[in-house]
Amino acid sequence: MAYRDLRDFLHKLERQHELKRITAEVDPVLEITEITDRAVKAGGPALLFERPKGSRVPVVTNLVASERRMNRALEVEALDEVAGRISSILDMQSPQGLLDKVKMLPKLAELGSSFPKTVKTGACQEVVRTEEFSLLDYPILKCWPLDGGRFITWPMVITKNPETGKRNVGCYRMQVYDERTTGMHWQTQKQGAEHFRTARAKSREGRMEVAVAIGSDPTTCLAGVLPAPPGMDEFLVAGFLRREPVELVACKTVDLEVPANSEIVLEGYVDLNEMRTEGPFGDHTGFYSLEAPYPVFHVTCITQRKEPIYLATIVGPPIQEDYFMGHAIERIFLPIMRMQHPEIVDIAMPAEGVFHNLMIVSIRKSYPGHARKTMNAIWSLGQAMFTKVIVVVDHDVDVQNFREVLWKALCAIDPERDVQFVLGPVDTLDHAARRQDFGSKMGIDATRKWPEESYAGRWPDEIKMDEATKRSVEAIWKHLKLER
Ligand SMILES: Cc1cc2nc3c(=O)[nH]c(=O)nc-3n(C[C@H](O)[C@H](O)[C@H](O)COP(=O)(O)O)c2cc1C
Ligand SMILES: [Mn+2]
């Protein structure tokens, strides 16, 4: 059974000692961040702040900020289980006979039950406010000292493509300007920005409707973060991952649907002709992202549960919760990458690489230049296009073992020969790029070089003791008492 909603997940976490209630009054301005930051770095539990200063709404942080809790959220023992389910769908062959067809039915049923389902009523509309409401009633965090204000950090921002009508769900931070206005931090390559541009191209005089849902069952909350291909509904992906459809309810004042089990929903619009300075914001790179103009969200209605819980996440110097989100995405998307690029054995994005700065890829190399082909593939693969440095190693290097990667990659390169530079789109948060959103990327071919790649030498063998000697030493090892 999938988690019904955020509070269902919180109850289950509490029973497993994975949730800590904080009853002392704590300030959503900076203090919650400091506590959350220390907790995540200590491998601590999810936190429920019951008395945030200045608000009657409790706040949750660090919800999935460990691999253990992420597994709980996705209801698996290990993330590879999710990858396995995806692989088995991708591997589906045309059935040969009746037996094959029958065997396929459960998989098809699984896919069929992923589609979101519209329901008439939802807990997220227990209270509907179109007149008296204010964002300032909620314990929205100011995360870091130089932040431009308070920011909603874990929203599901829902829009429809003005041309196709297809839904998009994205997690984009929202700076609170006043009681009813926020920023909308749609980075230029993201789907929200694309919807905004499409609407604007038709006419600048107008509005685009937006709904923002906050707090739902954990998989649905993660949907906004998923780098689903444009046009693919993230709620469909969430339905597949949680093995139960996401239930959606129509908004009260805009033509959009939101997860019925949400805690809080903001309904409103962005004015196609309005931009406003957003930021600075202490970002997941560990540095502040600077002020820049972004669209503005006007809230016209708030719906919520009678006693809502506000869900927030903190980004900042790694490791933070977003590392665990990124790691889950890495595992979930690996089978999809491998479908197009079967040479890929494994990938790793170390926390210190803040996702877009570093990807280590191992490949089974089968032709000259294969490593460079893989780099180019990654630079053309959705949001992996932002990857600033790609290190490609051979299949026998364990990419999850960063010490092994350092050792073997550094031994394997002739720097001038093996480094590939390209120019292209870079992450909006990359403050080192020559231009906002545009700059260079580097690939390092750290695979063994072949004669066909103009390598004139003879690649040496890696040192390994032979098995017979290992076994004979194993037999006497304990008696030697060399271990402390
Ligand atoms: C905590 C958190 C905050 C994020 N904030 C933003 C943001 O402010 N702007 C943005 O464009 N992407 C942000 N992202 C990344 C997007 O959610 C992510 O790229 C997502 O896949 C975009 O979906 P889309 O392709 O549907 O636009 C954030 C991610 C996380 C985990
Ligand atoms: Mn999307």
Side-chain angles (χ1 to χ4, degrees), residues 157 159-162 164 166-170 172 186-198 208 224 226-232 234 383 385:
V157 177
T159 51
K160 273 189 197 159
N161 183 314
T164 63
K166 285 187 181 166
R167 173 174 35 237
N168 189 69
V169 189
Y172 319 106
W186 281 327
Q187 292 165 7
T188 191
Q189 314 92 344
K190 307 293 174 75
Q191 285 307 298
E194 186 61 24
H195 290 185
F196 182 72
R197 269 192 299 269
T198 310
M208 183 171 80
L226 296 175
M232 179 179 273
E234 280 84 356
Q383 294 181 40
M385 69 174 156

PDB file of all heavy atoms in Angstrom, residues 157 159-162 164 166-170 172 186-198 208 224 226-232 234 383 385:
ATOM      1  N   VAL A 157       5.170  22.763  -8.526  1.00  0.00           N
ATOM      2  CA  VAL A 157       4.612  23.856  -9.329  1.00  0.00           C
ATOM      3  C   VAL A 157       3.989  23.235 -10.586  1.00  0.00           C
ATOM      4  O   VAL A 157       4.678  22.573 -11.367  1.00  0.00           O
ATOM      5  CB  VAL A 157       5.708  24.872  -9.701  1.00  0.00           C
ATOM      6  CG1 VAL A 157       5.135  25.966 -10.604  1.00  0.00           C
ATOM      7  CG2 VAL A 157       6.310  25.477  -8.433  1.00  0.00           C
ATOM      8  N   THR A 159       1.817  23.473 -14.090  1.00  0.00           N
ATOM      9  CA  THR A 159       1.366  24.327 -15.197  1.00  0.00           C
ATOM     10  C   THR A 159       0.977  23.428 -16.356  1.00  0.00           C
ATOM     11  O   THR A 159       1.281  22.233 -16.362  1.00  0.00           O
ATOM     12  CB  THR A 159       2.497  25.273 -15.669  1.00  0.00           C
ATOM     13  OG1 THR A 159       3.678  24.495 -15.921  1.00  0.00           O
ATOM     14  CG2 THR A 159       2.807  26.335 -14.641  1.00  0.00           C
ATOM     15  N   LYS A 160       0.298  24.026 -17.327  1.00  0.00           N
ATOM     16  CA  LYS A 160      -0.023  23.271 -18.544  1.00  0.00           C
ATOM     17  C   LYS A 160       0.651  23.948 -19.707  1.00  0.00           C
ATOM     18  O   LYS A 160       0.668  25.185 -19.796  1.00  0.00           O
ATOM     19  CB  LYS A 160      -1.533  23.278 -18.778  1.00  0.00           C
ATOM     20  CG  LYS A 160      -2.256  22.163 -18.067  1.00  0.00           C
ATOM     21  CD  LYS A 160      -3.702  22.121 -18.525  1.00  0.00           C
ATOM     22  CE  LYS A 160      -4.565  21.324 -17.568  1.00  0.00           C
ATOM     23  NZ  LYS A 160      -5.980  21.671 -17.713  1.00  0.00           N
ATOM     24  N   ASN A 161       1.174  23.149 -20.618  1.00  0.00           N
ATOM     25  CA  ASN A 161       1.744  23.700 -21.838  1.00  0.00           C
ATOM     26  C   ASN A 161       0.630  24.409 -22.604  1.00  0.00           C
ATOM     27  O   ASN A 161      -0.383  23.783 -22.930  1.00  0.00           O
ATOM     28  CB  ASN A 161       2.342  22.572 -22.681  1.00  0.00           C
ATOM     29  CG  ASN A 161       3.029  23.079 -23.934  1.00  0.00           C
ATOM     30  OD1 ASN A 161       2.483  23.927 -24.646  1.00  0.00           O
ATOM     31  ND2 ASN A 161       4.213  22.578 -24.187  1.00  0.00           N
ATOM     32  N   PRO A 162       0.769  25.706 -22.875  1.00  0.00           N
ATOM     33  CA  PRO A 162      -0.317  26.459 -23.494  1.00  0.00           C
ATOM     34  C   PRO A 162      -0.694  25.931 -24.881  1.00  0.00           C
ATOM     35  O   PRO A 162      -1.815  26.163 -25.330  1.00  0.00           O
ATOM     36  CB  PRO A 162       0.237  27.875 -23.600  1.00  0.00           C
ATOM     37  CG  PRO A 162       1.409  27.917 -22.707  1.00  0.00           C
ATOM     38  CD  PRO A 162       1.931  26.526 -22.578  1.00  0.00           C
ATOM     39  N   THR A 164      -0.072  22.413 -26.042  1.00  0.00           N
ATOM     40  CA  THR A 164      -0.491  21.004 -26.053  1.00  0.00           C
ATOM     41  C   THR A 164      -1.446  20.674 -24.903  1.00  0.00           C
ATOM     42  O   THR A 164      -2.093  19.633 -24.918  1.00  0.00           O
ATOM     43  CB  THR A 164       0.729  20.080 -25.911  1.00  0.00           C
ATOM     44  OG1 THR A 164       1.332  20.344 -24.632  1.00  0.00           O
ATOM     45  CG2 THR A 164       1.750  20.339 -26.994  1.00  0.00           C
ATOM     46  N   LYS A 166      -0.489  19.771 -22.114  1.00  0.00           N
ATOM     47  CA  LYS A 166       0.134  18.748 -21.267  1.00  0.00           C
ATOM     48  C   LYS A 166       0.653  19.352 -19.970  1.00  0.00           C
ATOM     49  O   LYS A 166       1.228  20.436 -19.962  1.00  0.00           O
ATOM     50  CB  LYS A 166       1.276  18.067 -22.016  1.00  0.00           C
ATOM     51  CG  LYS A 166       0.767  17.095 -23.062  1.00  0.00           C
ATOM     52  CD  LYS A 166       1.918  16.309 -23.657  1.00  0.00           C
ATOM     53  CE  LYS A 166       1.406  15.349 -24.721  1.00  0.00           C
ATOM     54  NZ  LYS A 166       2.487  14.819 -25.534  1.00  0.00           N
ATOM     55  N   ARG A 167       0.460  18.589 -18.908  1.00  0.00           N
ATOM     56  CA  ARG A 167       0.830  19.080 -17.586  1.00  0.00           C
ATOM     57  C   ARG A 167       2.330  18.943 -17.334  1.00  0.00           C
ATOM     58  O   ARG A 167       2.976  18.007 -17.804  1.00  0.00           O
ATOM     59  CB  ARG A 167       0.083  18.270 -16.532  1.00  0.00           C
ATOM     60  CG  ARG A 167       0.514  18.589 -15.105  1.00  0.00           C
ATOM     61  CD  ARG A 167      -0.324  17.893 -14.044  1.00  0.00           C
ATOM     62  NE  ARG A 167      -0.748  16.579 -14.432  1.00  0.00           N
ATOM     63  CZ  ARG A 167      -2.032  16.206 -14.470  1.00  0.00           C
ATOM     64  NH1 ARG A 167      -2.976  17.045 -14.126  1.00  0.00           N
ATOM     65  NH2 ARG A 167      -2.348  14.980 -14.834  1.00  0.00           N
ATOM     66  N   ASN A 168       2.861  19.869 -16.561  1.00  0.00           N
ATOM     67  CA  ASN A 168       4.216  19.715 -16.034  1.00  0.00           C
ATOM     68  C   ASN A 168       4.208  19.981 -14.537  1.00  0.00           C
ATOM     69  O   ASN A 168       3.471  20.837 -14.049  1.00  0.00           O
ATOM     70  CB  ASN A 168       5.197  20.683 -16.696  1.00  0.00           C
ATOM     71  CG  ASN A 168       6.623  20.357 -16.290  1.00  0.00           C
ATOM     72  OD1 ASN A 168       7.161  19.322 -16.678  1.00  0.00           O
ATOM     73  ND2 ASN A 168       7.217  21.207 -15.471  1.00  0.00           N
ATOM     74  N   VAL A 169       5.028  19.223 -13.828  1.00  0.00           N
ATOM     75  CA  VAL A 169       5.196  19.439 -12.399  1.00  0.00           C
ATOM     76  C   VAL A 169       6.676  19.651 -12.151  1.00  0.00           C
ATOM     77  O   VAL A 169       7.498  18.811 -12.528  1.00  0.00           O
ATOM     78  CB  VAL A 169       4.738  18.211 -11.588  1.00  0.00           C
ATOM     79  CG1 VAL A 169       4.721  18.543 -10.108  1.00  0.00           C
ATOM     80  CG2 VAL A 169       3.385  17.715 -12.058  1.00  0.00           C
ATOM     81  N   GLY A 170       7.030  20.764 -11.555  1.00  0.00           N
ATOM     82  CA  GLY A 170       8.438  21.030 -11.279  1.00  0.00           C
ATOM     83  C   GLY A 170       8.611  21.612  -9.888  1.00  0.00           C
ATOM     84  O   GLY A 170       7.724  22.300  -9.368  1.00  0.00           O
ATOM     85  N   TYR A 172      10.424  24.272  -8.089  1.00  0.00           N
ATOM     86  CA  TYR A 172      11.182  25.512  -8.308  1.00  0.00           C
ATOM     87  C   TYR A 172      10.962  26.406  -7.082  1.00  0.00           C
ATOM     88  O   TYR A 172       9.817  26.629  -6.687  1.00  0.00           O
ATOM     89  CB  TYR A 172      10.681  26.259  -9.553  1.00  0.00           C
ATOM     90  CG  TYR A 172      10.352  25.398 -10.756  1.00  0.00           C
ATOM     91  CD1 TYR A 172       9.027  25.158 -11.109  1.00  0.00           C
ATOM     92  CD2 TYR A 172      11.351  24.840 -11.550  1.00  0.00           C
ATOM     93  CE1 TYR A 172       8.703  24.392 -12.223  1.00  0.00           C
ATOM     94  CE2 TYR A 172      11.032  24.059 -12.660  1.00  0.00           C
ATOM     95  CZ  TYR A 172       9.709  23.845 -12.996  1.00  0.00           C
ATOM     96  OH  TYR A 172       9.384  23.079 -14.090  1.00  0.00           O
ATOM     97  N   TRP A 186      11.949  29.900 -12.415  1.00  0.00           N
ATOM     98  CA  TRP A 186      11.985  28.983 -13.546  1.00  0.00           C
ATOM     99  C   TRP A 186      13.286  29.199 -14.297  1.00  0.00           C
ATOM    100  O   TRP A 186      13.413  30.136 -15.095  1.00  0.00           O
ATOM    101  CB  TRP A 186      10.808  29.284 -14.495  1.00  0.00           C
ATOM    102  CG  TRP A 186       9.485  28.744 -14.049  1.00  0.00           C
ATOM    103  CD1 TRP A 186       9.252  27.602 -13.362  1.00  0.00           C
ATOM    104  CD2 TRP A 186       8.185  29.336 -14.313  1.00  0.00           C
ATOM    105  NE1 TRP A 186       7.897  27.433 -13.174  1.00  0.00           N
ATOM    106  CE2 TRP A 186       7.223  28.474 -13.748  1.00  0.00           C
ATOM    107  CE3 TRP A 186       7.758  30.500 -14.979  1.00  0.00           C
ATOM    108  CZ2 TRP A 186       5.863  28.740 -13.830  1.00  0.00           C
ATOM    109  CZ3 TRP A 186       6.407  30.747 -15.042  1.00  0.00           C
ATOM    110  CH2 TRP A 186       5.471  29.882 -14.477  1.00  0.00           C
ATOM    111  N   GLN A 187      14.266  28.317 -14.076  1.00  0.00           N
ATOM    112  CA  GLN A 187      15.512  28.426 -14.830  1.00  0.00           C
ATOM    113  C   GLN A 187      15.206  28.167 -16.296  1.00  0.00           C
ATOM    114  O   GLN A 187      14.318  27.385 -16.627  1.00  0.00           O
ATOM    115  CB  GLN A 187      16.542  27.432 -14.276  1.00  0.00           C
ATOM    116  CG  GLN A 187      16.983  27.823 -12.871  1.00  0.00           C
ATOM    117  CD  GLN A 187      17.697  26.719 -12.141  1.00  0.00           C
ATOM    118  OE1 GLN A 187      18.002  25.678 -12.702  1.00  0.00           O
ATOM    119  NE2 GLN A 187      17.960  26.941 -10.872  1.00  0.00           N
ATOM    120  N   THR A 188      15.975  28.829 -17.148  1.00  0.00           N
ATOM    121  CA  THR A 188      15.578  28.972 -18.548  1.00  0.00           C
ATOM    122  C   THR A 188      15.390  27.654 -19.299  1.00  0.00           C
ATOM    123  O   THR A 188      14.576  27.567 -20.208  1.00  0.00           O
ATOM    124  CB  THR A 188      16.564  29.911 -19.288  1.00  0.00           C
ATOM    125  OG1 THR A 188      16.015  30.227 -20.553  1.00  0.00           O
ATOM    126  CG2 THR A 188      17.946  29.279 -19.484  1.00  0.00           C
ATOM    127  N   GLN A 189      16.104  26.586 -18.893  1.00  0.00           N
ATOM    128  CA  GLN A 189      15.971  25.329 -19.647  1.00  0.00           C
ATOM    129  C   GLN A 189      14.871  24.425 -19.091  1.00  0.00           C
ATOM    130  O   GLN A 189      14.662  23.325 -19.587  1.00  0.00           O
ATOM    131  CB  GLN A 189      17.296  24.551 -19.629  1.00  0.00           C
ATOM    132  CG  GLN A 189      18.525  25.353 -19.925  1.00  0.00           C
ATOM    133  CD  GLN A 189      19.166  25.907 -18.651  1.00  0.00           C
ATOM    134  OE1 GLN A 189      18.557  25.938 -17.593  1.00  0.00           O
ATOM    135  NE2 GLN A 189      20.405  26.362 -18.767  1.00  0.00           N
ATOM    136  N   LYS A 190      14.184  24.872 -18.049  1.00  0.00           N
ATOM    137  CA  LYS A 190      13.204  23.994 -17.406  1.00  0.00           C
ATOM    138  C   LYS A 190      11.822  24.159 -18.020  1.00  0.00           C
ATOM    139  O   LYS A 190      11.527  25.158 -18.680  1.00  0.00           O
ATOM    140  CB  LYS A 190      13.154  24.291 -15.890  1.00  0.00           C
ATOM    141  CG  LYS A 190      14.490  24.248 -15.193  1.00  0.00           C
ATOM    142  CD  LYS A 190      15.096  22.850 -15.152  1.00  0.00           C
ATOM    143  CE  LYS A 190      16.506  22.873 -14.585  1.00  0.00           C
ATOM    144  NZ  LYS A 190      16.523  23.049 -13.133  1.00  0.00           N
ATOM    145  N   GLN A 191      10.970  23.178 -17.760  1.00  0.00           N
ATOM    146  CA  GLN A 191       9.657  23.145 -18.410  1.00  0.00           C
ATOM    147  C   GLN A 191       8.737  24.303 -18.007  1.00  0.00           C
ATOM    148  O   GLN A 191       7.980  24.805 -18.831  1.00  0.00           O
ATOM    149  CB  GLN A 191       8.959  21.801 -18.125  1.00  0.00           C
ATOM    150  CG  GLN A 191       9.546  20.668 -18.931  1.00  0.00           C
ATOM    151  CD  GLN A 191       9.578  20.994 -20.413  1.00  0.00           C
ATOM    152  OE1 GLN A 191       8.545  21.202 -21.036  1.00  0.00           O
ATOM    153  NE2 GLN A 191      10.764  21.082 -20.971  1.00  0.00           N
ATOM    154  N   GLY A 192       8.808  24.719 -16.759  1.00  0.00           N
ATOM    155  CA  GLY A 192       7.984  25.860 -16.344  1.00  0.00           C
ATOM    156  C   GLY A 192       8.325  27.086 -17.182  1.00  0.00           C
ATOM    157  O   GLY A 192       7.439  27.803 -17.678  1.00  0.00           O
ATOM    158  N   ALA A 193       9.632  27.301 -17.389  1.00  0.00           N
ATOM    159  CA  ALA A 193      10.089  28.440 -18.196  1.00  0.00           C
ATOM    160  C   ALA A 193       9.606  28.298 -19.639  1.00  0.00           C
ATOM    161  O   ALA A 193       9.228  29.275 -20.283  1.00  0.00           O
ATOM    162  CB  ALA A 193      11.612  28.537 -18.149  1.00  0.00           C
ATOM    163  N   GLU A 194       9.606  27.061 -20.130  1.00  0.00           N
ATOM    164  CA  GLU A 194       9.172  26.808 -21.507  1.00  0.00           C
ATOM    165  C   GLU A 194       7.676  27.138 -21.657  1.00  0.00           C
ATOM    166  O   GLU A 194       7.268  27.771 -22.644  1.00  0.00           O
ATOM    167  CB  GLU A 194       9.457  25.342 -21.861  1.00  0.00           C
ATOM    168  CG  GLU A 194       9.189  24.955 -23.293  1.00  0.00           C
ATOM    169  CD  GLU A 194      10.024  25.731 -24.313  1.00  0.00           C
ATOM    170  OE1 GLU A 194      11.102  26.238 -23.957  1.00  0.00           O
ATOM    171  OE2 GLU A 194       9.569  25.833 -25.476  1.00  0.00           O
ATOM    172  N   HIS A 195       6.886  26.753 -20.670  1.00  0.00           N
ATOM    173  CA  HIS A 195       5.448  27.084 -20.719  1.00  0.00           C
ATOM    174  C   HIS A 195       5.260  28.601 -20.714  1.00  0.00           C
ATOM    175  O   HIS A 195       4.433  29.146 -21.444  1.00  0.00           O
ATOM    176  CB  HIS A 195       4.716  26.458 -19.525  1.00  0.00           C
ATOM    177  CG  HIS A 195       4.613  24.969 -19.618  1.00  0.00           C
ATOM    178  ND1 HIS A 195       3.904  24.215 -18.717  1.00  0.00           N
ATOM    179  CD2 HIS A 195       5.125  24.082 -20.515  1.00  0.00           C
ATOM    180  CE1 HIS A 195       3.976  22.927 -19.054  1.00  0.00           C
ATOM    181  NE2 HIS A 195       4.729  22.835 -20.128  1.00  0.00           N
ATOM    182  N   PHE A 196       6.011  29.271 -19.868  1.00  0.00           N
ATOM    183  CA  PHE A 196       5.931  30.728 -19.760  1.00  0.00           C
ATOM    184  C   PHE A 196       6.293  31.376 -21.098  1.00  0.00           C
ATOM    185  O   PHE A 196       5.588  32.242 -21.598  1.00  0.00           O
ATOM    186  CB  PHE A 196       6.882  31.190 -18.649  1.00  0.00           C
ATOM    187  CG  PHE A 196       6.880  32.680 -18.385  1.00  0.00           C
ATOM    188  CD1 PHE A 196       5.800  33.291 -17.768  1.00  0.00           C
ATOM    189  CD2 PHE A 196       7.975  33.469 -18.742  1.00  0.00           C
ATOM    190  CE1 PHE A 196       5.801  34.654 -17.504  1.00  0.00           C
ATOM    191  CE2 PHE A 196       7.989  34.828 -18.486  1.00  0.00           C
ATOM    192  CZ  PHE A 196       6.901  35.425 -17.862  1.00  0.00           C
ATOM    193  N   ARG A 197       7.386  30.904 -21.712  1.00  0.00           N
ATOM    194  CA  ARG A 197       7.811  31.459 -23.009  1.00  0.00           C
ATOM    195  C   ARG A 197       6.760  31.210 -24.086  1.00  0.00           C
ATOM    196  O   ARG A 197       6.465  32.090 -24.896  1.00  0.00           O
ATOM    197  CB  ARG A 197       9.121  30.800 -23.464  1.00  0.00           C
ATOM    198  CG  ARG A 197      10.365  31.513 -23.010  1.00  0.00           C
ATOM    199  CD  ARG A 197      11.599  30.981 -23.751  1.00  0.00           C
ATOM    200  NE  ARG A 197      11.829  29.567 -23.516  1.00  0.00           N
ATOM    201  CZ  ARG A 197      12.593  29.089 -22.529  1.00  0.00           C
ATOM    202  NH1 ARG A 197      13.190  29.916 -21.697  1.00  0.00           N
ATOM    203  NH2 ARG A 197      12.761  27.798 -22.375  1.00  0.00           N
ATOM    204  N   THR A 198       6.198  29.997 -24.080  1.00  0.00           N
ATOM    205  CA  THR A 198       5.199  29.648 -25.097  1.00  0.00           C
ATOM    206  C   THR A 198       3.977  30.552 -24.960  1.00  0.00           C
ATOM    207  O   THR A 198       3.457  31.069 -25.959  1.00  0.00           O
ATOM    208  CB  THR A 198       4.780  28.165 -24.949  1.00  0.00           C
ATOM    209  OG1 THR A 198       5.960  27.384 -24.886  1.00  0.00           O
ATOM    210  CG2 THR A 198       3.935  27.705 -26.105  1.00  0.00           C
ATOM    211  N   MET A 208      -0.799  33.313 -17.142  1.00  0.00           N
ATOM    212  CA  MET A 208      -0.760  31.858 -17.211  1.00  0.00           C
ATOM    213  C   MET A 208      -1.116  31.336 -15.828  1.00  0.00           C
ATOM    214  O   MET A 208      -0.525  31.759 -14.826  1.00  0.00           O
ATOM    215  CB  MET A 208       0.629  31.374 -17.625  1.00  0.00           C
ATOM    216  CG  MET A 208       0.672  29.870 -17.783  1.00  0.00           C
ATOM    217  SD  MET A 208       2.220  29.300 -18.525  1.00  0.00           S
ATOM    218  CE  MET A 208       3.288  29.335 -17.117  1.00  0.00           C
ATOM    219  N   GLY A 224       8.127  16.371  -8.611  1.00  0.00           N
ATOM    220  CA  GLY A 224       8.531  17.656  -9.165  1.00  0.00           C
ATOM    221  C   GLY A 224      10.019  17.759  -9.431  1.00  0.00           C
ATOM    222  O   GLY A 224      10.474  18.569 -10.241  1.00  0.00           O
ATOM    223  N   LEU A 226      11.898  15.147 -10.439  1.00  0.00           N
ATOM    224  CA  LEU A 226      12.308  14.192 -11.472  1.00  0.00           C
ATOM    225  C   LEU A 226      12.562  14.866 -12.815  1.00  0.00           C
ATOM    226  O   LEU A 226      11.742  15.655 -13.274  1.00  0.00           O
ATOM    227  CB  LEU A 226      11.206  13.143 -11.681  1.00  0.00           C
ATOM    228  CG  LEU A 226      10.886  12.231 -10.517  1.00  0.00           C
ATOM    229  CD1 LEU A 226       9.695  11.339 -10.871  1.00  0.00           C
ATOM    230  CD2 LEU A 226      12.096  11.387 -10.149  1.00  0.00           C
ATOM    231  N   PRO A 227      13.659  14.526 -13.461  1.00  0.00           N
ATOM    232  CA  PRO A 227      13.926  15.104 -14.793  1.00  0.00           C
ATOM    233  C   PRO A 227      13.199  14.320 -15.880  1.00  0.00           C
ATOM    234  O   PRO A 227      13.817  13.771 -16.782  1.00  0.00           O
ATOM    235  CB  PRO A 227      15.447  14.993 -14.916  1.00  0.00           C
ATOM    236  CG  PRO A 227      15.812  13.817 -14.061  1.00  0.00           C
ATOM    237  CD  PRO A 227      14.768  13.689 -12.986  1.00  0.00           C
ATOM    238  N   ALA A 228      11.875  14.263 -15.786  1.00  0.00           N
ATOM    239  CA  ALA A 228      11.093  13.553 -16.807  1.00  0.00           C
ATOM    240  C   ALA A 228      11.216  14.306 -18.127  1.00  0.00           C
ATOM    241  O   ALA A 228      11.346  15.533 -18.131  1.00  0.00           O
ATOM    242  CB  ALA A 228       9.639  13.467 -16.368  1.00  0.00           C
ATOM    243  N   PRO A 229      11.163  13.591 -19.257  1.00  0.00           N
ATOM    244  CA  PRO A 229      11.251  14.285 -20.547  1.00  0.00           C
ATOM    245  C   PRO A 229      10.091  15.274 -20.704  1.00  0.00           C
ATOM    246  O   PRO A 229       9.010  15.028 -20.159  1.00  0.00           O
ATOM    247  CB  PRO A 229      11.125  13.159 -21.578  1.00  0.00           C
ATOM    248  CG  PRO A 229      11.216  11.881 -20.833  1.00  0.00           C
ATOM    249  CD  PRO A 229      10.982  12.143 -19.395  1.00  0.00           C
ATOM    250  N   PRO A 230      10.315  16.367 -21.446  1.00  0.00           N
ATOM    251  CA  PRO A 230       9.253  17.352 -21.652  1.00  0.00           C
ATOM    252  C   PRO A 230       7.988  16.661 -22.189  1.00  0.00           C
ATOM    253  O   PRO A 230       8.078  15.775 -23.026  1.00  0.00           O
ATOM    254  CB  PRO A 230       9.828  18.288 -22.714  1.00  0.00           C
ATOM    255  CG  PRO A 230      11.292  18.105 -22.650  1.00  0.00           C
ATOM    256  CD  PRO A 230      11.537  16.711 -22.164  1.00  0.00           C
ATOM    257  N   GLY A 231       6.866  17.054 -21.654  1.00  0.00           N
ATOM    258  CA  GLY A 231       5.611  16.467 -22.132  1.00  0.00           C
ATOM    259  C   GLY A 231       5.212  15.229 -21.359  1.00  0.00           C
ATOM    260  O   GLY A 231       4.083  14.766 -21.469  1.00  0.00           O
ATOM    261  N   MET A 232       6.117  14.681 -20.560  1.00  0.00           N
ATOM    262  CA  MET A 232       5.728  13.528 -19.749  1.00  0.00           C
ATOM    263  C   MET A 232       5.256  14.017 -18.378  1.00  0.00           C
ATOM    264  O   MET A 232       5.930  14.785 -17.717  1.00  0.00           O
ATOM    265  CB  MET A 232       6.885  12.552 -19.571  1.00  0.00           C
ATOM    266  CG  MET A 232       6.465  11.369 -18.698  1.00  0.00           C
ATOM    267  SD  MET A 232       7.767  10.167 -18.466  1.00  0.00           S
ATOM    268  CE  MET A 232       7.528   9.161 -19.891  1.00  0.00           C
ATOM    269  N   GLU A 234       4.770  14.197 -14.719  1.00  0.00           N
ATOM    270  CA  GLU A 234       5.496  13.673 -13.554  1.00  0.00           C
ATOM    271  C   GLU A 234       4.565  12.894 -12.607  1.00  0.00           C
ATOM    272  O   GLU A 234       5.011  11.999 -11.893  1.00  0.00           O
ATOM    273  CB  GLU A 234       6.170  14.804 -12.778  1.00  0.00           C
ATOM    274  CG  GLU A 234       7.491  15.289 -13.373  1.00  0.00           C
ATOM    275  CD  GLU A 234       7.335  16.327 -14.481  1.00  0.00           C
ATOM    276  OE1 GLU A 234       6.200  16.644 -14.876  1.00  0.00           O
ATOM    277  OE2 GLU A 234       8.378  16.829 -14.963  1.00  0.00           O
ATOM    278  N   GLN A 383      18.523  16.783 -18.521  1.00  0.00           N
ATOM    279  CA  GLN A 383      19.251  17.683 -17.636  1.00  0.00           C
ATOM    280  C   GLN A 383      20.695  17.247 -17.388  1.00  0.00           C
ATOM    281  O   GLN A 383      21.478  18.003 -16.802  1.00  0.00           O
ATOM    282  CB  GLN A 383      18.497  17.829 -16.312  1.00  0.00           C
ATOM    283  CG  GLN A 383      17.162  18.529 -16.515  1.00  0.00           C
ATOM    284  CD  GLN A 383      16.402  18.712 -15.226  1.00  0.00           C
ATOM    285  OE1 GLN A 383      16.978  19.024 -14.197  1.00  0.00           O
ATOM    286  NE2 GLN A 383      15.097  18.529 -15.277  1.00  0.00           N
ATOM    287  N   MET A 385      22.646  17.356 -19.550  1.00  0.00           N
ATOM    288  CA  MET A 385      23.386  18.307 -20.395  1.00  0.00           C
ATOM    289  C   MET A 385      24.203  19.297 -19.565  1.00  0.00           C
ATOM    290  O   MET A 385      25.143  19.897 -20.049  1.00  0.00           O
ATOM    291  CB  MET A 385      22.415  19.092 -21.287  1.00  0.00           C
ATOM    292  CG  MET A 385      21.526  20.076 -20.553  1.00  0.00           C
ATOM    293  SD  MET A 385      20.584  21.043 -21.754  1.00  0.00           S
ATOM    294  CE  MET A 385      19.177  21.548 -20.794  1.00  0.00           C
TER     295      MET A 385
END
